[in-house]
Structure formats: structure tokens, C-alpha cells
Amino acid sequence: MPSVLSTAHRSNRLLLAVSFALFAGAGAATAAGDTLGLTAGATALAVGGVYCTAHYADRISRKELAQLALGLWIGFLAISGLHLAGLGTVASVVPGSTTVLVHSLMAVTWASLLSSCSATVFLGFREYARTGTELSDEQVLEGETTSDYSTR
């Protein structure tokens, strides 16, 4: 009898945390200024965040990805609600440097927006790939499968 251990499906949430941190870094860079160097650095960080999100999305189920995207959008809406009151106003209520807190809130806002967008896009890719390959049982039984390539 072979000795095979069953392993549970691991999602490796470290990739999700790294992608969120990269997106936060990109948000902090854009909040800090508008120079070409900061924009290029923020773009590189955002690309790295998308890369990590893509690998994470590949490792989890479609249902988990949909729940993640929904949760990230809810988080973004909660964070963006602070913008209605004004980030300076919110930061002045919390003890500490107002400038640092405003930049931190901007970084978290950008991180939640980019994370929710990328999770939604990868969910859309998965849905598109899934619906393009499925055939209904009636089509298979009745021979109504159509192909882009003619056999004549």
C-alpha cells in the first residue's frame, strides 16, 4: 500500500498580502508627488501587485475569488467614505502627524481600489474562460456543437 498523504488545497494568502502592500506602496508614491520617477515607481509597484494577485487568483476557487472581490469592494467603499468627510479632517481627529495620516489613508484607499479591481478582473477572466468551453447536455446529445473550423 503506497504511503500518500493527502494535502489540503493551500491558497497562500501571503501573495494577497504582498499584492496589497505593493498597491499601497503605489498609492503612497502617487500621493507623495507627481514627478516622473514617482510615477514610474508607482507603476512598477502596481504591476507587481497585479502579478501577485494573478498568482493568488489562480490558486483559489472561483467561489473564493468572487467572495474576495466582493469583500475588497466593500472595504474600498468603507475606506472611500472617509473621503467624504475629508482626509485632513479625519487625520486631525487621530493623534499623530496629520500629513503622515493623510498619506497613509491615500495609500490604503489606492490599495483597496487596485486590489478590488484586479480581483474582479481575474474573476471576469475565469468566468469568460468557463462559459466559453461549456456545452449544454442537449447540444451534445443532439450533435449541435458548432466549431470555428469546418471539417469539409
Side-chain angles (χ1 to χ4, degrees):
M1 173 181 261
S3 169
V4 178
L5 297 174
S6 64
T7 58
H9 180 69
R10 290 186 338 148
S11 64
N12 196 3
R13 290 189 186 249
L14 178 63
L15 285 171
L16 185 62
V18 169
S19 71
F20 194 83
L22 289 171
F23 287 143
T30 57
D34 244 358
T35 64
L36 181 62
L38 287 176
T39 302
T43 302
L45 288 173
V47 167
V50 170
Y51 179 79
C52 290
T53 304
H55 280 287
Y56 179 75
D58 189 40
R59 295 178 182 190
I60 62 175
S61 70
R62 186 177 62 85
K63 180 180 177 184
E64 289 172 316
L65 186 57
Q67 291 172 343
L68 173 70
L70 180 62
L72 287 170
W73 278 112
I74 291 170
F76 169 69
L77 292 174
I79 293 295
S80 63
L82 297 176
H83 289 263
L84 293 174
L87 294 181
T89 305
V90 173
S92 67
V93 174
V94 180
S97 172
T98 304
T99 306
V100 171
L101 290 171
V102 167
H103 286 293
S104 298
L105 288 172
M106 286 295 295
V108 171
T109 302
W110 276 104
S112 61
L113 174 66
L114 293 173
S115 295
S116 57
C117 286
S118 61
T120 303
V121 165
F122 289 119
L123 177 63
F125 286 159
R126 186 172 288 178
E127 288 294 318
Y128 178 73
R130 187 176 74 109
T131 58
T133 59
E134 289 183 1
L135 294 174
S136 69
D137 291 337
E138 292 86 24
Q139 287 178 327
V140 172
L141 292 175
E142 296 174 8
E144 294 179 9
T145 59
T146 59
S147 173
D148 292 340
Y149 302 104
S150 176
T151 56
R152 294 184 220 189

